[in-house]
């Protein structure tokens, strides 16, 4: 219990020790019971040298990682069409594929690449979608993720989130008193990891602005915590707060104009709202208990937060106009770190049941008040919701190392994103980028 409470009060990461700058890898541990069979044929390319990225493999990996698709192995393909005229539907029916994706990559005089793709329903022999995506050589992965998003949406009816990004914190411990902490930014599949900010002091609670152009986080630079906002494109940083005591848990308002945050400058941990344009700071909770970990409801008129005002950490909701506070969780001895699904009807949170030893990721349905546990490992923490609401990313442990993992909102699909060089923590999934 002390480990969780310490993490909740922002000291868990003081002991973290993690190497950085490594891409995360995908290890699928559990898929859907009946994944959709699909064939993603290697895309055609007439260039003299091989493309720097296998774009068709990126698409196949994206779809497989969702757990909802079962891409056909290339070695089992009977033909390799790259355009509609070359497709023989009989070949794909024999192989049991319900859908077929083909494509052709070309390079224009301006050195930009174009991927012309076509998605077919094999059973009725019809084109579901076709089009072109383009970009420079450094955007080939982005182009492939866009096609993955389109395929996902056409087949499932839900917008794909393969083109999004994730934040996570790592640290490289050289000795007991010498650790390099880094805030990292990567594609949703863990590739193209890069460092946004590095420090000799802990970095905590990263979160995305609604337009995905800025991030906020807590940095202990100078020996005490402060909240900062940083531009992704330029790296420009702004210090938002650095009061004595706690400065923690920044959360962006839906319009991107305010931050909810936790301060103890008056002697107790309470929630405040900072207007980023005017600098106005407004205290919105006043209680002798610890109020922390705010998260905005989609309408921007209320917050959910963690408080021990009832004797143990539980989730509460605060109506900003009236100051009315109501308790939302009653099942389990510990509920914390709530994050809101886009529609506002459910929360993902860290849950510990009565008599249980594990801290797991769970979903609270607000109308019914029922909690459904999604994970079963020992110490799961820091959940974050994909912008389409289909997947959740969180921090957990594998052996003696911290890793990131993901689980579908219905609990059927699970995969891990371990780093090859150590532990990773504090994930945050970006909004849609366009």
């Amino acid at each position: 219990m002390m480990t969780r409470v310490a993490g909740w009060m922002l000291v868990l990461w003081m002991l973290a020790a993690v190497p950085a700058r490594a891409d995360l890898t995908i290890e699928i541990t559990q898929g859907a019971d009946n994944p959709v069979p699909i064939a993603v044929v290697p895309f055609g390319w007439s260039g003299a040298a091989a493309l720097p990225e296998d774009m068709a493999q990126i698409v196949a990996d994206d779809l497989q990682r969702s757990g909802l698709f079962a891409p056909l192995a290339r070695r089992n393909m009977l033909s390799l069409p790259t355009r509609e005229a070359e497709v023989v539907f009989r070949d794909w029916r024999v192989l049991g594929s319900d859908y077929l994706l083909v494509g052709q990559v070309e390079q224009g005089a301006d050195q930009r690449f174009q991927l012309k793709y076509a998605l077919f329903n094999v059973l009725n022999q019809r084109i579901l979608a076709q089009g072109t995506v383009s970009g420079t050589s450094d955007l080939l992965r982005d182009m492939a993720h866009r096609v993955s998003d389109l395929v996902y949406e056409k087949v499932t009816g839900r917008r794909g989130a393969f083109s999004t990004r994730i934040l996570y914190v790592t640290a490289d411990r050289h000795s007991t008193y010498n650790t390099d902490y880094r805030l990292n930014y990567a594609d949703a599949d863990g590739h193209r990891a890069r460092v946004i900010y590095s420090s000799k002091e802990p970095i905590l609670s990263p979160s995305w602005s609604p337009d995905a152009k800025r991030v906020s986080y807590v940095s202990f630079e100078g020996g005490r915590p402060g909240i900062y906002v940083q531009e992704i494109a330029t790296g420009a940083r702004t210090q938002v707060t650095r009061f004595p005591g706690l400065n923690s848990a920044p959360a962006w308002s839906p319009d991107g104009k305010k931050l909810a945050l936790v301060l103890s400058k008056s002697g107790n941990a309470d929630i405040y709202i900072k207007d980023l344009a005017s600098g106005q700071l407004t205290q919105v909770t006043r209680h002798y208990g610890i109020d922390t970990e705010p998260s905005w409801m989609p309408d921007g008129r209320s917050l959910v937060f963690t408080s021990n005002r009832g004797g143990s950490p539980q989730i509460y909701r605060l109506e900003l106009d009236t100051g009315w506070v109501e308790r939302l969780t009653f099942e389990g001895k510990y509920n914390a770190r709530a994050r809101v699904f886009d529609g506002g009807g459910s929360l993902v949170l860290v849950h510990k049941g009565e008599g249980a030893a594990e801290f797991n990721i769970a979903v609270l349905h607000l109308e019914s008040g029922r909690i459904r546990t999604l994970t079963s490992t020992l110490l799961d923490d820091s959940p974050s919701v994909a912008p389409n609401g289909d997947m959740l990313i969180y921090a957990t442990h594998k052996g003696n190392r911290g890793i990131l993992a993901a689980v579908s909102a219905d609990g059927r699909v699970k995969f891990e994103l371990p780093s090859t060089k150590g532990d990773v923590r504090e994930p945050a999934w970006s909004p849609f980028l366009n």
Side-chain angles (χ1 to χ4, degrees):
M1 181 66 180
M2 288 304 296
T3 301
R4 283 287 163 169
V5 173
W8 179 43
M9 296 183 64
L10 303 177
V11 296
L12 175 65
W13 257 91
M14 301 290 281
L15 303 177
V18 214
R21 295 214 60 145
D23 279 2
L24 306 177
T25 57
I26 302 293
E27 297 178 5
I28 299 173
T29 59
Q30 179 179 313
D33 295 336
N34 296 295
V36 176
I38 187 170
V40 182
V41 182
F43 297 152
W45 165 244
S46 58
L51 284 170
E53 299 285 356
D54 186 339
M55 300 171 72
Q57 190 61 56
I58 294 170
V59 174
D61 290 345
D62 282 344
L63 298 176
Q64 185 173 31
R65 187 174 79 250
S66 76
L68 301 180
F69 292 84
L72 180 67
R74 289 180 175 181
R75 64 180 179 274
N76 296 330
M77 294 181 181
L78 300 178
S79 57
L80 299 176
T82 61
R83 51 179 58 90
E84 181 181 4
E86 300 171 351
V87 172
V88 179
F89 287 103
R90 181 185 64 252
D91 291 348
W92 308 103
R93 287 198 301 270
V94 168
L95 295 170
S97 295
D98 291 351
Y99 297 92
L100 171 68
L101 180 70
V102 303
Q104 176 74 34
V105 183
E106 300 174 352
Q107 189 172 21
D110 59 358
Q111 302 303 305
R112 289 177 63 85
F113 292 85
Q114 287 191 334
L115 168 59
K116 298 178 181 179
Y117 63 87
L119 174 66
F120 300 89
N121 183 314
V122 173
L123 300 180
N124 62 23
Q125 302 184 36
R126 295 178 58 184
I127 291 181
L128 285 180
Q130 60 183 332
T132 302
V133 294
S134 62
T136 53
S137 60
D138 60 324
L139 297 178
L140 293 179
R141 294 194 69 89
D142 299 273
M143 293 162 60
H145 290 318
R146 286 171 60 191
V147 174
S148 301
D149 288 337
L150 179 139
V151 172
Y152 189 88
E153 184 170 5
K154 286 296 180 180
V155 176
T156 69
R158 300 185 300 277
R159 185 175 180 181
F162 304 110
S163 297
T164 55
R165 305 287 188 262
I166 57 173
L167 293 170
Y168 57 95
V169 177
T170 61
D172 185 7
R173 177 179 287 175
H174 306 292
S175 64
T176 302
Y177 302 105
N178 182 15
T179 301
D180 291 320
Y181 295 87
R182 295 181 177 91
L183 177 59
N184 305 276
Y185 164 81
D187 293 358
D189 63 0
H191 285 268
R192 295 190 295 186
R194 68 220 78 172
V195 176
I196 293 177
Y197 176 69
S198 60
S199 175
K200 287 292 185 181
E201 304 294 338
I203 303 168
L204 300 168
S205 304
S207 64
W208 293 89
S209 66
D211 61 6
K213 294 180 179 179
R214 296 171 291 169
V215 298
S216 61
Y217 53 89
V218 176
S219 173
F220 278 74
E221 57 199 77
R224 70 182 191 188
I227 295 174
Y228 295 81
V229 168
Q230 183 168 332
E231 299 280 345
I232 290 287
T234 66
R237 303 172 72 228
T238 302
Q239 181 178 295
V240 176
T241 67
R242 199 160 182 262
F243 295 104
L246 288 177
N247 296 254
S248 67
W252 295 85
S253 62
D255 62 7
K257 296 180 179 180
K258 301 174 183 178
L259 281 178
L261 42 88
V262 177
L263 303 174
S264 62
K265 64 187 187 70
S266 298
N268 195 67
D270 281 301
I271 297 172
Y272 293 72
I273 292 178
K274 179 75 175 279
D275 186 291
L276 294 175
S278 68
Q280 180 180 353
L281 187 66
T282 304
Q283 185 174 352
V284 295
T285 70
R286 292 174 173 83
H287 198 276
Y288 60 81
I290 296 172
D291 296 338
T292 186
E293 300 172 344
S295 182
W296 294 80
M297 295 297 286
D299 61 6
R301 300 176 61 183
S302 60
L303 299 171
V304 295
F305 64 98
T306 307
S307 179
N308 69 347
R309 59 179 64 194
S312 66
Q314 298 293 339
I315 306 301
Y316 294 77
R317 177 164 49 196
L318 165 69
E319 297 292 338
L320 294 174
D321 289 343
T322 65
W324 173 259
V325 175
E326 64 174 325
R327 180 171 167 174
L328 299 180
T329 53
F330 296 90
E331 179 182 341
K333 63 190 301 182
Y334 180 103
N335 292 285
R337 203 73 183 256
R339 295 294 180 264
V340 184
F341 280 83
D342 184 57
S346 299
L347 309 178
V348 59
L349 46 83
V350 178
H351 172 71
K352 186 178 189 292
E354 296 290 345
E358 300 87 3
F359 292 87
N360 299 132
I361 305 303
V363 171
L364 168 68
H365 186 261
L366 290 176
E367 184 175 348
S368 68
R370 297 187 62 181
I371 289 179
R372 179 164 47 90
T373 302
L374 303 180
T375 65
S376 57
T377 36
L378 184 61
L379 289 173
D380 302 330
D381 198 10
S382 306
S384 180
V385 185
N388 63 2
D390 284 357
M391 298 293 295
L392 316 169
I393 194 170
Y394 61 97
T396 188
H397 288 78
K398 188 173 184 178
N400 60 358
R401 294 196 307 131
I403 66 169
L404 300 187
V407 61
S408 61
D410 60 10
R412 295 189 303 159
V413 177
K414 297 178 181 179
F415 61 85
E416 298 174 346
L417 298 91
S419 168
T420 57
K421 294 186 177 181
D423 301 347
V424 287
R425 303 290 294 177
E426 299 275 328
W429 211 316
S430 79
F432 289 117
L433 303 185
N434 49 49

